[in-house]
Structure formats: C-alpha cells, structure tokens
Amino acid sequence: MRQAFEAWAQRDGHIVRRREDKPEEYLVYETQRRWLIWQAALTHGAKAADAQQAQQAQKFAPSEDKAPVMLADEAAVRNRVLNEVLDAFSELDESAGVEGLVRVIQNLKKKSQSQSQSRQVEAQT
C-alpha cells in the first residue's frame, strides 16, 4: 500500500522522503497528510465495500456460478466512499495539523461502524 502511495505521490510531485527519527512518517507535512488521507480512504472503502457485498449476498443469494459483485455496483460504492472521505476532509481547517487528520479518520471509522451496526439490526428484523 505504501509503495502505491509513494509512486502516486512522486508522479504528483510530492516529496516522499521519510523522517530519520520516525521512518513511518514523511518529512514533508503535506505528504504525511496525504498519506493519512490515503489510508483513511482505503480503510473506509474496504469496510463500505464489505458491507455492500454482505447486503447484496443476503438480498439476492447469488448462486456459485454468478459473480458476487457487479462492476457497476463496485464503482458506485467507490464513488460514494470517495465523496464521503473528501467531504470529511474538506471541513478540516489547515491549522488543525495531524491531530485534525486523526480526528477526521476516527470520525469516519465511527460512522462506518455505526452504519454496519444499523445494517445488522435491519437484517435481523
């Protein structure tokens, strides 16, 4: 995942050099910020896609010879997740720093967890 991010960041013109004292962090603040956003988007997207797949599996009960997920549905989930992440980060002011990023990521995780719990409750009823 980090290699894909660094390849994208370099193509986009960002400096991907890491700190010597904390090699898991990037030297440039903007690169570190984008790395956290990248991780949040992938994590949030994976949970949303898993929830979407589970919901479709229950709704349609596909047979073994059918594909479990259609490409159009996957694209719709990805677009929805990307829009949610972009909306969450657009509300962040620049003075918040890394703490603000962490707070936004935690809010996205809480939102994802509450949505999955509400879907489970709906499935049980």
Side-chain angles (χ1 to χ4, degrees):
M1 176 168 62
R2 190 178 283 265
Q3 290 174 343
F5 167 75
E6 288 180 354
W8 169 82
Q10 284 179 335
R11 281 193 310 269
D12 207 34
H14 297 286
I15 299 169
V16 293
R17 194 166 153 222
R18 297 188 201 171
R19 294 177 55 170
E20 291 179 15
D21 60 335
K22 295 180 181 178
E24 68 277 356
E25 292 183 16
Y26 291 97
L27 189 61
V28 178
Y29 171 77
E30 185 62 23
T31 306
Q32 180 67 24
R33 179 179 164 272
R34 289 177 186 258
W35 168 239
L36 292 172
I37 293 170
W38 180 282
Q39 289 176 309
L42 288 179
T43 303
H44 187 67
K47 289 179 182 176
D50 289 343
Q52 181 78 11
Q53 287 175 355
Q55 183 180 17
Q56 284 184 353
Q58 289 176 350
K59 188 174 182 180
F60 297 111
S63 64
E64 292 181 22
D65 59 341
K66 291 183 181 179
V69 178
M70 297 178 143
L71 294 177
D73 292 338
E74 186 176 329
V77 169
R78 287 181 182 176
N79 284 339
R80 183 177 52 80
V81 167
L82 179 62
N83 288 334
E84 287 177 12
V85 171
L86 289 174
D87 288 343
F89 281 101
S90 67
E91 296 170 2
L92 183 68
D93 63 1
E94 293 180 19
S95 64
V98 175
E99 294 81 18
L101 292 174
V102 171
R103 202 173 322 116
V104 170
I105 292 168
Q106 289 173 344
N107 288 341
L108 285 171
K109 286 181 181 178
K110 287 179 186 176
K111 182 178 179 183
S112 177
Q113 288 173 350
S114 66
Q115 287 176 349
S116 66
Q117 287 175 352
S118 66
R119 286 188 185 121
Q120 289 175 352
V121 169
E122 288 175 4
Q124 291 175 351
T125 56

